[in-house]
């Protein structure tokens, strides 16, 4: 009974982390790709010149794919990426926005969900 409850909890953590990070990653990637393109003249050329701004979010999407297959490895990498994003976007720069802090903190928390899910699914009675 306890094992079944723990496995059910692991599935909930895994599902929340997978789909939230996937949707979140796609939306933020598209926003980062398009949002600064008008500074470069807009259109396809502006999007291509602005594409380096979307690289951290592309990395997040790739790590979500890794975590989909290997939860522990992907969870550790996503958590580390989240900590890096917190540092890069909030601590290192002169601009601190609460919304950016919570978005980057969400990446760290959801990455840890993969680790917790792996740990709950691993233990046996």
């Amino acid at each position: 009974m306890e094992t079944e409850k723990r496995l059910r909890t692991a599935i909930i953590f895994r599902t929340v982390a997978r789909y939230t990070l996937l949707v979140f990653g796609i939306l933020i990637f598209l926003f980062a790709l398009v949002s600064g393109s008008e500074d470069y003249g807009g259109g396809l050329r502006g999007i291509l010149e602005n594409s380096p701004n979307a690289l951290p979010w592309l990395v997040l999407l790739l790590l979500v794919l890794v975590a989909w297959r290997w939860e522990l490895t992907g969870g550790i990498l996503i958590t580390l990426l989240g900590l890096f994003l917190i540092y890069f976007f909030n601590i290192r720069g002169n601009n601190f926005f609460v919304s950016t802090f919570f978005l980057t903190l969400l990446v760290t928390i959801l990455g840890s969900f993969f680790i917790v899910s792996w740990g709950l699914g691993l233990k046996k009675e």
Side-chain angles (χ1 to χ4, degrees), residues 15-107:
T15 303
V16 167
R18 279 181 179 177
Y19 294 106
T20 304
L21 277 173
L22 184 64
V23 170
F24 170 76
I26 290 171
L27 291 175
I28 296 296
F29 173 74
L30 292 174
F31 176 77
L33 193 60
V34 176
S35 67
S37 66
E38 63 273 356
D39 293 341
Y40 298 104
L44 185 60
R45 182 166 186 242
I47 290 174
L48 289 175
E49 288 187 30
N50 188 51
S51 62
N53 290 337
L55 287 179
W57 307 110
L58 179 62
V59 170
L60 174 64
L61 288 172
L62 293 174
L63 291 179
V64 169
L65 293 176
V66 169
W68 212 288
R69 177 72 171 103
W70 301 286
E71 280 182 348
L72 180 62
T73 304
I76 290 170
L77 292 174
I78 290 171
T79 303
L80 291 174
L81 176 67
L83 292 172
F84 171 75
L85 292 174
I86 288 172
Y87 170 74
F88 184 76
F89 287 123
N90 297 296
I91 297 171
R92 187 184 68 101
N94 294 333
N95 299 331
F96 177 81
F97 298 107
V98 174
S99 59
T100 306
F101 176 71
F102 282 122
L103 289 175
T104 54
L105 186 62
L106 181 67
V107 172

